[in-house]
């Protein structure tokens, strides 16, 4: 009876919105499930609140660790509905042991409970060939907010190559309290580095283990601003590495990039040699070819034309490639397999190259040169020739020889050498590498309809887009015209894509449309200066930007549009020419009439030298972009005499 009365008393306190405090002044477990106990300050700008988090990692030996995670998170509204669930990626090196999930309503009443057996599973990787990954997930829906999710789970790590990060805060999430403790054997010698927060660890040593403990309390929510790039640029986390680790039977040291490179070299160095028979096949391909660069190009073209990329997770946690002889026979492989094979081919003709680990992603940032961490998801190949260094992206069948694309540019790649890892920057993005040039002839008829003939010349990222669309079905290629290029939906069209073997890449377009002009008024036609969208990037208006803004890539765009007027029409007015410059680029447009041919010329030229715009330069960049859009919206006016 006394117990029942006590429970009723506690529930009444919670329902009244008062926080239930322990003697220490901290919130108790019961009050953490009640959304009304969250302070006003922590709700400000927050879509969710991490009420209580406790993560404990114990490293029992260089090749094994256990992690226990406890988290109570209140989702304040549906904008963080994606946090209302559970997901974890596992493989043979990361095993999910147990899960306990509870959902509570706004006053802390239990709604549902879920165990590991209730989770959904999915496999990924291998393209059906080899699957080593398993995803456990559970998505919970709620019609009402706020709700609170309490999650407890345990993971066993069978290797210390990827020690989990302490991810402290998500965008638009405040943190009421969070702690992270890592305990380890002294000879494992864990090091850490803190990012984007002022945070010190306290030692938590005992007779057997050394340890570090991090604690965060009352961290207010911070927004993620549109197009800012990866979250790790702005939000707080801690990374860890081990001076002594084991991974799939291979011992290593992560203290420095050199040490990590030595581990990878020792684990893979016996796999990048071809048999004598297969070497002869490769040597025959370059017979009669003079010059090392030309030989590299021949072998790279052979790789592109005869091998296909598949995503394979195999061997030491997806890090060890198939032997080169396997790829020579099967003609497929993943990024590490294809790079390893290309290295073996070059070795067969006595050209030195290095496998290069890299963190691929168009918005990613270079790995930290001052802290070694296995933060890679891709492999390319580096070929250092006497007069030039060639980078090879071995997974693409279309990319130009010697190009890496935005996903691999501006990175720190870890070259795997006999003497260990060497962190080396990849090539920088350059507007001259991403060229879009369009020459358009528009024949306007008396009824306002017309024919459009356009020749498009592209390189780099623009070239890759066109090649992608060239492989689509004809009906889907219309998206290339309307969605990507921005032409008005044509009545009839024809697209002739060029050969991917040639660079620059050429595409020829023919369109019929019954309406060339945007609108008419009496005997006048009002026509936009270009038939497609030359520039359509409208930057959002913000009062004060605090995070960098990322454009797609540096570029150079050129346009010449020639309008042939219908019989009896003259130009009444032309848009005014413009010349605009700002710190990271320039734009110029010109408009004129050729009196002899009765043709109207419209030209535009845009250069963007940098794709990452610092926050303090955002306002000036937006002004520049808005002026380009203003120019796009001008009209040339023709009138029937």
């Amino acid at each position: 009876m006394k117990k029942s009365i006590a429970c009723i008393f506690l529930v009444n306190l919670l329902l009244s919105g008062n926080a239930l405090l322990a003697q220490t002044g901290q919130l108790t477990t019961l009050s953490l499930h009640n959304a009304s106990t969250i302070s006003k300050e922590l709700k400000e700008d927050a879509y969710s609140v991490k009420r209580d988090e406790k993560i404990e990692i114990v490293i029992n030996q260089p090749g094994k660790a256990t992690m226990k995670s406890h988290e109570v998170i209140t989702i304040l509204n549906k904008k963080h509905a994606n946090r209302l669930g559970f997901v974890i990626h596992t493989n043979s090196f990361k095993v999910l042991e147990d899960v306990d999930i509870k959902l509570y309503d706004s006053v802390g009443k239990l709604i549902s409970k879920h165990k590991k057996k209730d989770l959904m599973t999915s496999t990924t990787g291998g393209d059906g060939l080899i699957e080593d990954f398993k995803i456990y997930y559970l998505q919970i829906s709620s019609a009402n907010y706020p709700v609170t999710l309490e999650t407890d789970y345990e993971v066993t790590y069978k290797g210390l190559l990827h020690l989990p990060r302490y991810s402290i805060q998500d965008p638009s999430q405040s943190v009421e309290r969070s702690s992270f403790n890592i305990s380890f054997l002294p000879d494992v010698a864990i090091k850490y580095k803190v990012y984007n927060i002022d945070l010190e660890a306290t030692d938590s040593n005992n007779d057997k283990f050394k340890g570090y403990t991090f604690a965060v309390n009352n961290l207010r929510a911070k927004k993620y601003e549109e197009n800012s790039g990866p979250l790790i640029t702005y939000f707080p986390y801690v990374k860890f590495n081990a001076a002594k680790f084991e991974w799939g039977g291979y011992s290593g040291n992560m203290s420095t990039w050199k040490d990590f490179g030595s581990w990878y070299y020792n684990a893979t160095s016996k796999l990048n040699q071809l048999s004598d028979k297969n070497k002869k096949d490769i040597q025959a391909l370059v017979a009669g070819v003079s010059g090392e660069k030309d030989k590299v190009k021949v072998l790279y073209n052979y790789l592109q034309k005869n091998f296909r990329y598949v995503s394979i997770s195999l061997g030491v946690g997806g890090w060890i490639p198939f032997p080169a002889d396997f790829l020579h026979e099967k003609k497929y492989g993943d990024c590490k397999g294809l790079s390893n094979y290309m290295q073996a081919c070059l070795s067969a003709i006595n050209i030195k190259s290095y496998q290069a680990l890299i963190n691929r992603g168009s918005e990613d940032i270079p790995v930290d040169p001052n802290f070694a961490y296995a933060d890679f998801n891709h492999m390319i190949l580096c070929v250092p020739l006497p007069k030039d260094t060639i980078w090879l992206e071995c997974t693409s069948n279309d990319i130009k020889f010697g190009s890496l694309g935005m996903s691999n540019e501006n990175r720190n790649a870890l070259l795997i050498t006999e003497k260990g890892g060497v962190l080396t920057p990849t090539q920088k993005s350059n507007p001259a590498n991403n060229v879009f040039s369009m020459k358009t002839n528009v024949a306007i008829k008396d009824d306002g309809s017309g024919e459009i003939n356009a020749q498009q010349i592209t390189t780099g990222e623009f070239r890759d887009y066109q090649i992608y669309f060239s492989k689509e079905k004809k009906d889907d290629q219309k998206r290339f015209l309307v969605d990507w290029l921005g032409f008005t939906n044509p009545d009839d069209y024809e697209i002739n894509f060029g050969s991917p073997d040639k660079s620059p890449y050429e595409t020829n377009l023919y369109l019929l449309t019954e309406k060339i002009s945007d609108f008419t008024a009496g005997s006048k036609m009002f026509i936009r200066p270009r038939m497609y969208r030359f520039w359509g990037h409208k930057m959002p208006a913000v009062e004060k930007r605090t995070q960098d803004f990322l454009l797609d890539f540096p570029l150079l765009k050129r346009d010449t549009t020639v309008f042939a007027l219908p019989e009896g029409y003259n130009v009444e007015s032309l848009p005014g020419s413009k010349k605009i410059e700002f710190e990271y680029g320039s734009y110029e447009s010109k408009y004129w009439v050729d009196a002899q041919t009765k043709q109207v010329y419209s030209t535009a030229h845009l250069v963007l030298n940098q794709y990452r715009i610092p926050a303090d330069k955002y306002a000036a960049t937006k002004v520049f972009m808005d002026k380009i859009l203003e120019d796009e919206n001008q009209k040339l006016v023709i009138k029937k005499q």
Side-chain angles (χ1 to χ4, degrees), residues 15-35:
L15 291 176
S16 69
N18 296 322
L20 181 64
L21 300 181
Q23 291 181 352
T24 60
Q26 295 296 317
L27 293 172
T28 68
T29 301
L30 283 175
S31 66
L32 287 171
H33 299 151
N34 187 338

Side-chain angles (χ1 to χ4, degrees), residues 375-396:
D375 215 0
F376 303 109
N377 60 7
H378 191 51
M379 179 176 281
I380 56 179
L381 197 68
C382 178
V383 189
L385 299 179
K387 295 183 179 181
D388 192 14
T389 294
I390 302 171
W391 294 94
L392 300 178
E393 167 55 82
C394 297
T395 63
S396 172

Side-chain angles (χ1 to χ4, degrees), residues 572-593:
E572 181 171 275
S573 66
L574 289 177
S577 298
K578 285 194 174 183
K579 187 173 184 179
I580 318 164
E581 294 184 351
F582 83 125
E583 187 170 349
Y584 303 119
S586 61
Y587 173 80
E588 185 174 8
S589 64
K590 293 181 180 180
Y591 307 93
W592 71 93
V593 179

Side-chain angles (χ1 to χ4, degrees), residues 347 404 410 419 572 616 623 629:
S347 178
L404 286 179
N410 316 297
K419 296 181 180 180
E572 181 171 275
D616 61 347
V623 169
L629 293 176

Side-chain angles (χ1 to χ4, degrees), residues 166 168-169 193-200 214-217 219 222 234-238:
Y166 176 28
I168 299 169
Q169 181 184 34
K193 187 168 183 179
V194 178
Y195 295 84
N196 306 321
I197 190 172
D198 185 11
L199 183 63
E200 294 288 340
F214 301 86
V216 176
N217 294 289
L219 188 63
K222 182 168 69 170
Y234 309 102
F235 290 86
Y237 64 99
V238 185

